[in-house]
Amino acid sequence: MTQTDTLMGKAGGSPSIAQSDYWWYRARTRILETVMKPYVGAPRRLLDVGSADGPSVTWLQGTAEQHVSLDVDPRGLTDGGVCGSATGLPFADGSFDVVSAFDVIEHCDREDIALAEIERVLAPGGRFLMSVPAYNWAWTSHDVHNHHHRRYTRRRAVEVIEAAGLSPLRATYGFTGTFPMFAAQRLVTRFKERGQTDALPEGGVAPLPTVSPATERLLLGATRIDERLLGRLDLPFGSSVLVAALKPH
């Protein structure tokens, strides 16, 4: 068990397990599918790292002959899922044609080890699909409570992918439609917190911001902008970074 595993265990795992219908997870499902599905193809074996966040990857179901789920939190795994760490994948070299890790790498103290493990288990010609949170200036207690180690720019995400020996196929921001609201909320929160963060209780789950039904409709409507645009072009800013990459032959 790694340091990251221990911290995530203390945090009580992903809040998506209890709130899979939260607006952000529903929107992310559609955004991920729009950006990533063209790179999935018809793989023989697919590995989804971080599967306890499963509500956002339902669109991956049925795309592979064998779909393997892995997470440090066993509560989010269905029958046949593997409890394990991204920094020590329990699979042989070249085992998978596609590996996905959506909002996972930021939880790893050593991103280089996690990405090296992903590159190792990918077969030559395999694809890696990744999403991570954007911009260190947006760091708040939300990141602390979720045991993030960093946030990313698109450039930095591409750099760490290339350092792992993978070739980026596409890199874009996502959640652009909701970005003005996200930026305002994060900047206000940073001012209020001024470096002080309340600790979560042992075993607690990081709270999701409460939104009214009207605000939820507004946010979901704004993410439709992403869906329409991401099918045709990369977006220049947003609260998430999405990367699809190839392991060269």
Side-chain angles (χ1 to χ4, degrees):
M1 179 174 286
T2 67
Q3 178 186 11
T4 299
D5 298 338
T6 303
L7 291 173
M8 290 181 71
K10 287 183 179 180
S14 170
S16 69
I17 296 173
Q19 293 182 260
S20 61
D21 62 344
Y22 188 71
W23 77 269
W24 190 84
Y25 297 113
R26 290 155 56 196
R28 189 177 70 155
T29 300
R30 300 194 302 268
I31 291 172
L32 287 175
E33 182 174 11
T34 299
V35 174
M36 301 298 185
K37 197 163 187 178
Y39 302 99
V40 175
R44 186 176 61 85
R45 297 192 73 200
L46 181 151
L47 172 64
D48 179 30
V49 180
S51 300
D53 223 5
S56 290
V57 292
T58 51
W59 56 275
L60 276 176
Q61 299 299 324
T63 59
E65 295 178 25
Q66 184 178 5
H67 185 128
V68 179
S69 300
L70 177 140
D71 203 279
V72 296
D73 188 345
R75 296 175 307 152
L77 295 170
T78 56
D79 292 341
V82 177
C83 190
S85 168
T87 56
L89 296 173
F91 307 107
D93 296 358
S95 296
F96 297 96
D97 304 302
V98 174
V99 176
S100 63
F102 299 131
D103 293 277
V104 171
I105 302 302
E106 70 273 14
H107 293 281
C108 300
D109 183 20
R110 292 286 303 275
E111 65 183 354
D112 58 331
I113 293 177
L115 291 170
E117 279 290 276
I118 288 167
E119 188 275 340
R120 179 184 65 80
V121 302
L122 266 176
R127 284 85 65 202
F128 174 47
L129 314 176
M130 178 183 81
S131 65
V132 287
Y135 304 123
N136 277 327
W137 60 255
W139 187 274
T140 66
S141 59
H142 171 84
D143 297 280
V144 176
H145 289 160
N146 281 280
H147 299 293
H148 293 172
H149 288 276
R150 68 199 71 82
R151 301 178 71 91
Y152 292 78
T153 60
R154 177 167 56 184
R155 169 186 266 182
R156 189 173 186 282
V158 167
E159 287 174 349
V160 298
I161 288 290
E162 291 177 332
L166 301 171
S167 299
L169 298 169
R170 184 178 185 186
T172 181
Y173 287 98
F175 284 95
T176 300
T178 56
F179 187 74
M181 291 168 278
F182 165 83
Q185 186 271 334
R186 285 303 177 99
L187 292 173
V188 168
T189 300
R190 287 194 62 158
F191 177 77
K192 289 180 178 179
E193 291 176 345
R194 287 189 286 257
Q196 297 187 8
T197 304
D198 294 333
L200 282 176
E202 184 78 10
V205 176
L208 293 169
T210 301
V211 297
S212 68
T215 300
E216 180 181 87
R217 288 193 295 272
L218 175 64
L219 292 167
L220 288 172
T223 62
R224 296 289 185 183
I225 298 172
D226 294 70
E227 293 176 64
R228 288 193 293 270
L229 295 178
L230 284 169
R232 306 191 305 273
L233 50 86
D234 296 335
L235 300 179
F237 57 86
S239 59
S240 290
V241 181
L242 301 94
V243 181
L246 175 75
K247 179 173 178 176
H249 287 278

